[in-house]
Amino acid sequence: MVEFSGAAGDGRPPGAEGDVEVLVVGAGITGIYQCYRAREAGFSVAVLEAGEGVGGTWYWNRYPGARFDSESYTYGYLFSRELFEEWEWQEHFSAQPEIERYLNHVVDRFDLRRHIRFGARVTAAEYHEPSGTWCVAVDGGSQLRARYLVAATGVLSVPHVPDVPGRGGFRGEQYHTGRWPRTPVDLAGKRVAVVGTGSSGVQIVPAIVGEVAELTVYQRTAHWCTPLNNAPITPDEQARLRAEFESIRRTLDTSPHGFLHRAHDRATFDDDPEERRAFYEKMWNSPGFMKLTSNYTDLLFDPEANAQWCGFIAEKIRGIVHDPVTAEKLIPKDHRYGEHRPPFATGYYEAFNEPHVTLVDVRETPIVRMTATGIETTAGVREHDVVIWATGFDFGTGALARMGIRGRGGVPLVEHWADGPRTYLGVQTAGFPNLFFPGGPHAAAGNNPRYNGDQVDFVTDLLVYARDHGFGVVEVDAAAEEEWTAMIDRNAARPPSFGAASYYFGANIPGKPRRYLLNAAGRPKLHAMIAEIVANDFRPFRFAPAPAGTGADATA
Ligand code: N01
């Protein structure tokens, strides 16, 4: 428990140096939008950001090759038509530097930077019952008090590095893709290892293959990687995008997972083998997630249908990769398409045709330990100058679990969530009044900013309602939380009940409870529920006035 210094004779929490109505943690896509919405709604607002710049996930994941795999213009903000029209994304799937530039542009354009404190990592956040406020401690010793605490800390913000024996004794350089340094990393002429072949691994491999002397890819699970099919956005396309702003927004708002792609209207075996092959070719050449969202309607429901698509991809891999043994290793054998989050990349399989690239299947020859100069598997030691961990994240709950959050009665959030997250709408949990976490567990299963934006809008409207009705304490009903969480778990178990072995269920982190961490119900369902809640005066949220004389209302 944090010792907040000072006296608390007036019912105010002790020792808080700054008061603010809405304190946002994290200046990523969700936190920036929450800052904007809260400020526009007339609240005093401050943002604490651990990094030295804005972007959150898109700040930390600056590894070579990092880019969107949702279309840029569907991932950026849609709250301002002017912003949409004035920012011309360079590519259909833009790369990290452009994404970071865009987010900086947004922050400056809407004058949000003055609300953000950089280099400020939250180490503890405790609910102070007598005042109905949150006391927040920041690394370095400062403390703030907030009426409302909004943790926009993201789902992919805590990197996972496996506990490989001897890792600390490795004398070369080590990096995690999710904590890539801002200063350039010189890989030229070096013997580089990439461990992990998820979305990050398949992006970094082709991006660095041309500069390194030797590249060893350590693969545990082969993934169904397909081409991203990226391209620059032409001037004609730019003009069309600008003209179609409203219809783009409408389509995204009614799409189950926040994409522009149209669903297909045929099932796999409606087509004969020749038609099917032509359709799969079309899918293979389609942009990004279209291979999932516009594929045959039974792709995720009929194992036979799924096997047909997987067979097509396997054939493609065999056609691209010259060495048949390597090609076979790159073809997943243990899961269907969609069971893990499918990665999209450019030139990933092609990289294995380079003479200086080696694939090590760590299921066949497991990693035993790291030596001072390399990685030892059961097949022997490979020497490396640099090891890149593309080994994923403590997904969903990782950041919230590390913020030292304590609610009513000093109950730690990690205790409340010992069996996995329990939430209502993915925005609040019972026993933690005035704490919200849009874009956290039980948020998106699709294009993240679209869902997260819905949640930010909802949280802001909820706070405005509370203020307009003279309330200062907002807490969701425990029974509603139970019902919502049961719905999440039920949906996760229903066909297509994919992902039990993936990070969707926390399966990548040793000891983490296996519980679905997303919301598979889709965005229209979320919209319908939100509309009903708003129409019912925000029930099942409970409201109470702020204890007298305890307003955290200074301007930040
Ligand atoms: O992480 P991952 P990621 N020994 O967890 C392997 C988003 N994203 O950073 O599958 C050896 O997917 C692990 O193996 P296995 C996107 O949502 C988006 O790549 O657990 N290997 C796996 O291969 C994505 O889904 C973009 O058997 C080990 C890999 O490491 C999410 O971020 C780009 C290991 C981790 O894959 C996470 O992607 C990048 C060990 N001990 C990321 N431990 C876009 O394009 C783990 N692995 C927008």
Side-chain angles (χ1 to χ4, degrees):
M1 177 128 5
V2 177
E3 286 299 322
F4 286 97
S5 55
D10 59 356
R12 291 161 66 99
E17 66 177 35
D19 282 0
V20 68
E21 287 172 302
V22 178
L23 182 62
V24 180
V25 184
I29 290 188
T30 308
I32 291 170
Y33 184 47
Q34 182 64 76
C35 176
Y36 170 77
R37 281 296 325 264
R39 206 260 320 265
E40 293 305 290
F43 292 105
S44 63
V45 57
V47 182
L48 298 175
E49 166 55 55
E52 296 299 335
V54 300
T57 296
W58 293 107
Y59 170 87
W60 297 106
N61 284 267
R62 55 181 66 243
Y63 58 86
R67 63 173 64 249
F68 285 148
D69 60 7
S70 300
E71 282 80 354
S72 311
Y73 33 89
T74 69
Y75 206 94
Y77 296 110
L78 299 175
F79 66 86
S80 158
R81 182 173 190 141
E82 294 72 32
L83 171 65
F84 185 88
E85 287 184 350
E86 75 199 13
W87 185 269
E88 294 203 336
W89 290 104
Q90 297 304 297
E91 296 175 272
H92 285 277
F93 300 96
S94 284
Q96 186 276 340
E98 189 185 3
I99 301 165
E100 194 179 8
R101 277 201 303 279
Y102 167 76
L103 293 170
N104 275 284
H105 167 74
V106 172
V107 161
D108 291 329
R109 190 194 188 286
F110 295 99
D111 191 23
L112 301 174
R113 197 174 293 276
R114 66 194 169 90
H115 299 286
I116 307 172
R117 194 204 284 186
F118 294 104
R121 180 176 293 282
V122 172
T123 53
E126 298 177 7
Y127 184 63
H128 182 256
E129 295 201 45
S131 62
T133 58
W134 282 87
C135 296
V136 175
V138 180
D139 199 13
S142 64
Q143 296 167 5
L144 289 94
R145 184 176 72 130
R147 168 69 53 210
Y148 301 111
L149 179 64
V150 183
T153 40
V155 285
L156 291 162
S157 38
V158 176
H160 166 64
V161 180
D163 197 10
V164 178
R167 201 170 69 77
F170 177 65
R171 288 204 301 266
E173 298 160 62
Q174 294 187 58
Y175 303 99
H176 189 284
T177 49
R179 281 289 177 280
W180 200 262
R182 291 174 91 188
T183 46
V185 175
D186 183 11
L187 299 174
K190 294 191 177 155
R191 298 165 302 173
V192 176
V194 172
V195 186
T197 54
S199 301
S200 304
V202 304
Q203 284 188 335
I204 199 169
V205 163
I208 63 174
V209 68
E211 62 178 305
V212 302
E214 205 179 284
L215 182 59
T216 309
V217 180
Y218 290 86
Q219 169 191 280
R220 187 165 68 185
T221 301
H223 290 280
W224 294 109
C225 180
T226 53
L228 180 63
N229 295 317
N230 190 20
I233 303 180
T234 64
D236 279 356
E237 286 171 332
Q238 298 284 14
R240 208 162 45 241
L241 283 170
R242 272 197 295 275
E244 291 176 357
F245 173 73
E246 285 303 343
S247 78
I248 288 173
R249 194 155 67 168
R250 231 179 2 259
T251 306
L252 291 173
D253 278 351
T254 48
S255 139
H257 302 294
F259 291 107
L260 289 178
H261 316 140
R262 271 183 222 289
H264 194 36
D265 56 1
R266 292 175 73 76
T268 304
F269 301 105
D270 291 347
D271 284 346
D272 65 32
E274 205 175 313
E275 289 165 333
R276 202 154 50 235
R277 194 175 167 82
F279 178 73
Y280 284 155
E281 276 296 341
K282 195 170 129 195
M283 285 292 103
W284 179 263
N285 292 310
S286 71
F289 272 96
M290 217 169 147
K291 294 153 197 91
L292 193 60
T293 55
S294 305
N295 213 313
Y296 286 120
T297 52
D298 53 357
L299 173 72
L300 299 181
F301 296 91
D302 176 356
E304 246 325 293
N306 198 296
Q308 291 287 321
W309 171 237
C310 291
F312 174 85
I313 302 174
E315 225 181 278
K316 284 285 186 195
I317 298 172
R318 290 187 189 106
I320 296 169
V321 179
H322 301 160
D323 172 33
V325 176
T326 303
E328 282 317 304
K329 285 182 183 169
L330 287 165
I331 298 170
K333 306 288 187 312
D334 61 350
H335 67 277
R336 294 180 254 158
Y337 190 80
E339 203 167 325
H340 288 264
R341 198 275 203 187
F344 305 98
T346 304
Y348 176 63
Y349 295 123
E350 289 81 348
F352 293 94
N353 292 333
E354 299 293 331
H356 64 299
V357 179
T358 306
L359 180 68
V360 175
D361 179 342
V362 303
R363 284 201 205 280
E364 235 173 66
T365 55
I367 294 176
V368 178
R369 65 189 179 106
M370 285 181 83
T371 68
T373 54
I375 294 179
E376 181 180 338
T377 67
T378 51
V381 179
R382 294 185 69 85
E383 302 287 315
H384 303 301
D385 303 307
V386 182
V387 174
I388 296 170
W389 300 97
T391 41
F393 298 87
D394 184 351
F395 179 75
T397 49
L400 290 170
R402 285 165 177 78
M403 260 173 64
I405 296 173
R406 288 173 182 268
R408 275 192 199 287
V411 173
L413 182 67
V414 284
E415 199 173 284
H416 185 58
W417 284 0
D419 297 326
R422 288 148 50 187
T423 81
Y424 183 68
L425 286 187
V427 298
Q428 209 188 28
T429 187
F432 296 78
N434 291 0
L435 168 70
F436 304 91
F437 39 81
H442 296 176
N447 192 357
N448 281 8
R450 304 279 67 84
Y451 286 79
N452 302 358
D454 296 338
Q455 291 181 313
V456 166
D457 287 338
F458 176 76
V459 168
T460 311
D461 294 347
L462 178 63
L463 301 191
V464 167
Y465 175 90
R467 183 183 60 194
D468 290 353
H469 290 78
F471 298 123
V473 179
V474 182
E475 182 174 5
V476 76
D477 182 66
E481 168 177 299
E482 207 167 297
E483 207 178 303
W484 163 271
T485 305
M487 185 273 289
I488 293 278
D489 291 342
R490 249 191 341 268
N491 281 345
R494 265 206 325 237
S497 59
F498 282 167
S502 84
Y503 72 74
Y504 298 158
F505 282 82
N508 63 328
I509 303 295
K512 189 166 173 170
R514 299 285 191 273
R515 199 87 184 255
Y516 194 58
L517 294 163
L518 301 165
N519 166 22
R523 214 166 152 231
K525 173 99 191 274
L526 184 68
H527 290 170
M529 285 187 76
I530 286 176
E532 198 183 323
I533 295 163
V534 173
N536 281 303
D537 286 334
F538 287 91
R539 269 196 302 273
F541 289 89
R542 293 199 306 251
F543 299 89
T550 62
D553 54 5
T555 304

